[in-house]
Amino acid sequence: MIPETGYITAAFKIGEGPCERRRVVAWDGDGNALVPDAIDGRLTIARLEPGFQWLDAEAAATDPVALIPGGGWVAEHRDGSTAPVVAWGVGLDGAMRAYVASGDRAVSADDFEELSFTVRHPAAEGEL
């Protein structure tokens, strides 16, 4: 087994929602990506897991490694609706992203293009 030292994720499509991503933590002797199996408590071959779609090095770079509170910032969506920024996240790539609540999870504009939004602080005038 060879440890994965980069930021590669395996994407899985389960049901109607967006793909679930699990970090690749190692490679076996045959070059298969290994991901944690939370139910069995062991590493499994990603491509053999139900719903496996692909491996992705780019998406993992946007995963947040640190979060700070939203601080009163507001997201303005394309349709004119607004939502509070619940957190700011710093990704593995070093970029800062705003996260808003969407259903039962927090998402950034990078997660889904249709959720594209601009952010502003209520105390500021105009778009920042």
Side-chain angles (χ1 to χ4, degrees):
M1 183 169 56
I2 304 165
E4 169 54 48
T5 58
Y7 305 109
I8 296 176
T9 58
F12 299 89
K13 184 72 169 170
I14 309 294
E16 296 296 318
C19 283
E20 169 192 320
R21 295 186 185 276
R22 291 192 288 185
R23 186 161 185 244
V24 173
V25 297
W27 303 90
D28 71 10
D30 294 325
N32 293 303
L34 301 175
V35 295
D37 183 322
I39 295 170
D40 292 337
R42 63 187 178 93
L43 295 178
T44 61
I45 296 173
R47 67 180 171 77
L48 300 180
E49 288 291 294
F52 174 75
Q53 300 293 305
W54 64 81
L55 296 178
D56 193 348
E58 185 176 328
T62 63
D63 290 347
V65 293
L67 295 170
I68 59 174
W73 288 80
V74 175
E76 293 184 347
H77 297 277
R78 290 181 189 171
D79 65 4
S81 64
T82 61
V85 172
V86 295
W88 290 95
V90 179
L92 293 168
D93 59 0
M96 182 75 99
R97 293 172 178 82
Y99 287 81
V100 298
S102 176
D104 62 351
R105 65 191 201 119
V107 297
S108 77
D110 289 346
D111 292 332
F112 306 98
E113 185 161 332
E114 64 270 16
L115 291 180
S116 178
F117 54 80
T118 57
V119 295
R120 66 174 174 79
H121 196 278
E125 292 200 19
E127 187 178 312
L128 297 177

